[in-house]
Amino acid sequence: MDNIGYLLMKVSKELRYTLTKELSTYGLTTSQWSVLKRVEIEEENNSSLLMRTAVEIASNLNLDKPTISGIVNRLFEKEMLRKEQHPNDKRAFILFLTPKAKEMIPILESISDRVIEDSLINFTAKEKEIFVRLLSKMDMTLSKDKIL
């Protein structure tokens, strides 16, 4: 099969399925993990408060409003996220990781890394390097199209 679109979709679904199965041990989904990771990135980068709202997190992860709302609410219920009223926008909340989430992230990252490594087991180090470079190039191309 040499249809790139089909292969990308198939591999993406298989990776997501495998990761979901692994994360279920901790009661999390891949979507919840991606939101936690995005909030962590924004916190580590000391991003502006605007970048830490559900709307901005959703935009970064290509999620719609109902989806991000459900994910944030579930993570809030699991005591993984904390919400604070935005100081300039009373409709928005700023998202913060809880200590529980900060403790879990290294474990979740390890799971995610293992799933990826297992999927690349038949790649040489050079092939992995090329693969990442090509995917990054494709991502930049697609992201540029969204900006325009």
Side-chain angles (χ1 to χ4, degrees), residues 59-97:
S59 175
N60 276 300
L61 297 174
N62 293 317
L63 300 171
D64 58 29
K65 280 186 180 184
T67 302
I68 191 68
S69 178
I71 292 169
V72 166
N73 287 336
R74 282 187 285 288
L75 289 170
F76 181 76
E77 290 166 7
K78 293 176 184 193
E79 299 176 346
M80 302 286 272
L81 283 182
R82 176 171 65 81
K83 300 186 269 188
E84 286 184 15
Q85 191 78 50
H86 193 287
N88 302 328
D89 184 351
K90 296 303 175 200
R91 300 166 299 160
F93 289 93
I94 306 194
L95 303 176
F96 297 91
L97 296 175

Side-chain angles (χ1 to χ4, degrees), residues 84-131:
E84 286 184 15
Q85 191 78 50
H86 193 287
N88 302 328
D89 184 351
K90 296 303 175 200
R91 300 166 299 160
F93 289 93
I94 306 194
L95 303 176
F96 297 91
L97 296 175
T98 64
K100 179 180 177 180
K102 289 179 182 179
E103 186 178 305
M104 287 291 298
I105 284 178
I107 296 166
L108 302 173
E109 251 172 1
S110 174
I111 291 169
S112 179
D113 290 347
R114 184 173 32 82
V115 167
I116 295 296
E117 279 303 311
D118 288 351
S119 73
L120 298 173
I121 195 102
N122 293 317
F123 283 52
T124 66
K126 185 66 176 169
E127 287 172 330
K128 288 178 193 177
E129 181 186 316
I130 292 167
F131 185 61

